[in-house]
Amino acid sequence: MFSHVLRRRIADSWRPQEPIVLLTLIFAVILVGVGTLGLFNLDPSGTPPTIIIVVDFIVGALLFWLGRWMIRNPFAKAPRVIVVTLIAIGSFVGLSVSTVPTARSAGLILPILFAVVATGRILPILFYPVIVGLILLLNLPMKEQFSGFEFGFALLLFLVMWSIREHAAWQGAQRAEAAAKLQQEQVLTTFMRFIAHELRGAASVLSVLAPTLHARLTAPPDQWASIDGAAAYTAYADTTKRINDLLQRLLIITRAGVLSSEQIRRVALAPLLKEAINELMALDLPIEIKLDVPPDLEVQADPAYLWMACTTALRNAAEAMQVTGRPTVTIRASQTEQQCTIRVEDSGPGFSPRLLAQLQAMGTTSALPIGTFTTKIGGTGLGLPLMDRVARLHNGTFSCGNLAGGGAWVQIMLPNPERAQA
């Protein structure tokens, strides 16, 4: 029972280690083992001096510590540099004092071996002949015992190792590309399911309304009172508006490049934002909306696209604040000679640290992928990519974050071509 639990814990905690980590731990074990043999006079080549035994234990313990450091911090460069430096110094010292052929071979091989596996670059191999030449030049007795075969074999060995590592890196890149394609396919599948769900819901409403509308249109006037035509028309109008909004969002998100100059015109921002607020208030949500926008502020934009982005920002904020006590949305806008900034703030829980980390990793150079960023359970991830796409279509930028006192903010910055040229 105990062995089974131990094996399971080892299997759960084990992860493949880099070659430099494994080599460091292996040499730590070797040095401690050699020091132990010397301490108990078990070394077949004779008892080494006490200073050598002490050095073996100290360097072995240091390599253990460096290996543990690299396991805990896989991307740390300092322990790798220290390991390569220690091995190089120890090998070169051994080359200077030893006349044993195997020791010379090990001294020639170990530094470049650790350098290659630590860096994954061919640069250490290029400098390798120079370093060995300097060692031989400084140690003339060793030069007389040195054979070119040792050097050639070591160099060939490391060229093969570097080639194998490069091939492994290429395979890793291929696997990463395949994983990225799989993720894109999964995102696309989720997106298509969302579209199918929305269209199926709209089609269901229209199919239910069809008999009612048919009866209303074909029934004699004396029977019209028994058919609620107003309710049917309202449901029909809401459904068609829902379909049109969905199609408009799809057109915006899937559009590439920037808008043509014919689509850009002066837009009074305050009336557009008030219209977006009225759209949100029609949903009868218990939220307070504050508008802080100069009444004469105008932007250069496509009004339909900008209205869709502002409506999306307000709706996302309202949905995020459903669990808060006093839901408040604040819309701010300002303008400089170069750009106009539209910012929506809410008093909700804010974006999760994980989502903000994802957004920061994406940076500002690439567009946000559909379906990747969502703050709601069962969300489709359309909101942030749509606002980002609207900003990019206007040659602007989109950003978001959390407020210091709680809540989230999203911001669209649009260039102001006319003022910039003035």
Side-chain angles (χ1 to χ4, degrees):
M1 180 65 181
F2 175 77
S3 61
H4 174 72
V5 173
L6 181 62
R7 287 197 303 269
R8 187 176 63 182
R9 288 187 176 181
I10 293 175
D12 293 339
S13 60
W14 169 256
R15 62 180 176 85
Q17 299 295 335
E18 290 184 76
I20 183 64
V21 178
L22 296 178
L23 281 175
T24 301
L25 295 177
I26 289 172
F27 270 84
V29 172
I30 291 175
L31 288 175
V32 172
V34 171
T36 303
L37 292 176
L39 183 64
F40 292 98
N41 298 324
L42 299 176
D43 194 336
S45 61
T47 303
T50 304
I51 185 63
I52 299 297
I53 297 176
V54 174
V55 169
D56 285 340
F57 279 112
I58 293 176
V59 176
L62 182 59
L63 290 178
F64 267 123
W65 176 72
L66 291 170
R68 182 180 177 85
W69 185 359
M70 287 185 283
I71 291 175
R72 290 188 171 184
N73 300 277
F75 301 102
K77 294 182 180 180
R80 289 161 173 76
V81 174
I82 297 175
V83 167
V84 174
T85 303
L86 284 176
I87 296 298
I89 293 175
S91 298
F92 295 154
V93 170
L95 284 172
S96 302
V97 299
S98 176
T99 59
V100 180
T102 55
R104 291 204 312 269
S105 299
L108 289 171
I109 291 174
L110 291 180
I112 191 67
L113 171 64
F114 275 82
V116 169
V117 297
T119 63
R121 308 293 183 185
I122 199 172
L123 190 62
I125 299 176
L126 299 179
F127 282 101
Y128 180 61
V130 178
I131 296 174
V132 174
L134 290 175
I135 295 173
L136 296 177
L137 184 62
L138 296 175
N139 190 2
L140 295 178
M142 178 187 168
K143 183 178 179 181
E144 297 177 356
Q145 302 173 3
F146 178 76
S147 66
F149 173 78
E150 295 172 334
F151 172 74
F153 178 77
L155 187 59
L156 178 62
L157 173 63
F158 300 127
L159 286 172
V160 172
M161 286 183 55
W162 179 77
S163 177
I164 293 174
R165 174 152 184 159
E166 287 295 300
H167 182 70
W170 176 80
Q171 286 184 326
Q174 293 293 316
R175 288 193 296 268
E177 183 179 356
K181 289 183 178 179
L182 178 61
Q183 184 180 12
Q184 291 178 354
E185 292 177 358
Q186 292 174 343
V187 169
L188 180 60
T189 301
T190 302
F191 180 61
M192 295 304 296
R193 287 179 177 176
F194 162 73
I195 299 302
H197 173 75
E198 292 292 313
L199 293 178
R200 183 170 57 186
S204 300
V205 174
L206 294 178
S207 63
V208 171
L209 289 176
T212 302
L213 294 176
H214 180 268
R216 182 68 173 81
L217 294 173
T218 59
D222 58 344
Q223 297 181 7
W224 285 0
S226 61
I227 303 173
D228 193 350
Y233 173 78
T234 301
Y236 172 80
D238 291 342
T239 303
T240 55
K241 184 178 183 302
R242 177 182 172 187
I243 295 175
N244 288 331
D245 287 346
L246 176 62
L247 295 178
Q248 183 72 8
R249 291 171 183 266
L250 293 178
L251 289 174
I252 293 175
I253 290 179
T254 56
R255 181 162 182 170
V258 296
L259 298 177
S260 62
S261 57
E262 290 78 10
Q263 292 179 266
I264 305 296
R265 58 186 177 87
R266 283 184 173 273
V267 179
L269 189 57
L272 184 143
L273 292 175
K274 289 180 181 179
E275 183 180 352
I277 292 173
N278 292 334
E279 179 79 12
L280 182 64
M281 298 305 294
L283 300 177
D284 197 21
L285 297 175
I287 61 175
E288 179 184 0
I289 300 179
K290 299 179 180 180
L291 185 62
D292 182 12
V293 179
D296 59 343
L297 193 152
E298 293 182 341
V299 296
Q300 300 287 336
D302 180 287
Y305 282 28
L306 186 58
W307 179 87
M308 182 64 71
C310 294
T311 304
T312 301
L314 290 174
R315 186 174 300 176
N316 284 358
E319 292 176 352
M321 293 188 301
Q322 291 181 0
V323 296
T324 59
R326 298 183 58 185
T328 303
V329 178
T330 303
I331 310 172
R332 308 181 191 276
S334 60
Q335 192 173 46
T336 65
E337 293 187 357
Q338 301 297 328
Q339 62 190 9
C340 174
T341 302
I342 304 172
R343 183 182 176 102
V344 177
E345 303 174 354
D346 65 59
S347 59
F351 295 111
S352 67
R354 180 180 179 183
L355 187 139
L356 289 179
Q358 287 180 296
L359 293 171
Q360 185 177 7
M362 286 291 298
T364 59
T365 57
S366 57
L368 300 183
I370 299 170
T372 304
F373 306 99
T374 179
T375 59
K376 299 181 290 294
I377 298 177
T380 59
L382 288 178
L384 297 182
L386 184 140
M387 289 181 277
D388 177 68
R389 176 57 62 188
V390 169
R392 292 178 185 274
L393 288 173
H394 290 82
N395 203 22
T397 59
F398 168 78
S399 57
C400 60
N402 288 333
L403 299 171
W409 60 267
V410 295
Q411 182 172 278
I412 295 177
M413 302 181 71
L414 305 178
N416 197 356
E418 292 186 1
R419 294 199 176 199
Q421 294 173 0

